[in-house]
Amino acid sequence: MITTIVKRDGRTAAFQVEKIASAIFKAAQATGGRDYDTALDLAKKVAEYLDSEEHQTAPTVEHVQDVVEKMLVDNGHARTAKEYLLYR
């Protein structure tokens, strides 16, 4: 299970699925979405995907964001993925 993430400045921080859900929800809101539960479910899928990868170190913020985009597109949320790209 992933417990930390490497931020852009090199510091490590606690991995929080809720932060991912919040970012997804904000992008969804930009397209008219109002379902936080869906954002949370997608964030959990991101965490599961990251857990399935073999990491020697904690994932970077950029890698997590790439996985978020992948999960959004793979789960039929292409418009939200586009907004997420603009958000990040």
Side-chain angles (χ1 to χ4, degrees), residues 8 20 24 27 42 46 49 61-88:
R8 286 186 174 84
I20 295 170
I24 292 171
L42 288 164
V46 168
Y49 183 90
V61 167
E62 290 83 5
H63 181 64
V64 172
Q65 289 174 332
D66 290 345
V67 173
V68 169
E69 290 173 34
K70 176 182 175 22
M71 286 298 118
L72 286 169
V73 171
D74 289 354
N75 286 277
H77 300 280
R79 288 186 337 162
T80 301
K82 184 176 178 180
E83 288 298 324
Y84 182 80
L85 267 168
L86 296 172
Y87 171 76
R88 72 184 258 199

Side-chain angles (χ1 to χ4, degrees), residues 14-43:
F15 179 82
Q16 298 176 353
V17 74
E18 295 82 10
K19 283 190 174 188
I20 295 170
S22 177
I24 292 171
F25 185 61
K26 287 177 185 177
Q29 284 179 311
T31 65
R34 296 177 299 203
D35 187 1
Y36 180 81
D37 290 337
T38 298
L40 185 58
D41 288 342
L42 288 164

Side-chain angles (χ1 to χ4, degrees), residues 46-57:
V46 168
E48 289 170 9
Y49 183 90
L50 290 168
D51 282 339
S52 74
E53 295 180 325
E54 292 189 26
H55 291 281
Q56 299 298 326
T57 60

